[in-house]
Amino acid sequence: ALEGNQEEYNLVLDAFLGRAAAIIEAAGVELIIVYQPEQSLKSDGTLQYGYSENGMAEFEAACEKYGIVFCDMTTSFDKLYQQEHILAHGFSNSEVGEGHLNKYGHAVIAEVITEKIQELEAE
């Protein structure tokens, strides 16, 4: 978000997503935006994410306004950590959970996108 100016951010976001929607509509395709949040471990071993839930809701609402499919990976990343004790970011040569998506994070995103495409095709 633009520092301290939510109204300006919302205007830019609306203009950007509106332009993207016009392009995809002209092309006859659907746009899927995947949000993959940064993760960090708290001292008690639980995950935390560094984003505003209100900001996320506004982004999702803007996507819905323009018919853009929005996939928030937070729940899927939580599931990966809770069930398999694996973080979606980081490698053996970096800080825990820091940096780029690793192969597990990429695999989870691929699964979610595949499911979403199959869901959209079934409509």
Side-chain angles (χ1 to χ4, degrees), residues 7 18 27 38 41 43 47 63 86 89 99 102 109 111 114 123:
E7 185 176 331
E38 292 183 17
L41 284 176
S43 61
L47 285 177
C63 286
I86 296 172
H89 296 89
N102 56 36
I109 289 175
E111 290 172 17
T114 300
E123 292 178 355

Side-chain angles (χ1 to χ4, degrees), residues 12-69:
V12 171
L13 176 63
D14 190 74
F16 175 78
L17 292 180
R19 177 73 178 125
I23 292 168
I24 62 169
E25 185 176 339
V29 297
E30 292 191 63
L31 175 59
I32 300 174
I33 294 179
V34 177
Y35 174 68
Q36 56 97 9
E38 292 183 17
Q39 306 168 285
S40 61
L41 284 176
K42 296 194 299 191
S43 61
D44 65 0
T46 59
L47 285 177
Q48 70 180 14
Y49 298 95
Y51 63 84
S52 155
E53 291 206 16
N54 186 43
M56 182 66 66
E58 289 176 4
F59 189 90
E60 189 169 4
C63 286
E64 188 174 323
K65 173 182 175 181
Y66 289 108
I68 297 169
V69 178

Side-chain angles (χ1 to χ4, degrees), residues 104-117:
Y104 306 104
H106 281 286
V108 170
I109 289 175
E111 290 172 17
V112 169
I113 292 173
T114 300
E115 289 172 10
K116 182 55 73 175
I117 290 171

Side-chain angles (χ1 to χ4, degrees), residues 1 6 18 20 35-36 40-41 44 53 59 76-77 79 81 83 85 96-97 103 108 112 118 120:
Q6 191 64 41
Y35 174 68
Q36 56 97 9
S40 61
L41 284 176
D44 65 0
E53 291 206 16
F59 189 90
S76 298
F77 286 178
K79 185 177 174 183
Y81 182 67
Q83 293 181 354
H85 309 292
V96 175
K103 66 181 180 180
V108 170
V112 169
Q118 289 172 341
L120 292 169

Side-chain angles (χ1 to χ4, degrees), residues 89-98 102 104:
H89 296 89
F91 301 88
S92 61
N93 65 348
S94 65
E95 289 187 42
V96 175
E98 294 290 321
N102 56 36
Y104 306 104

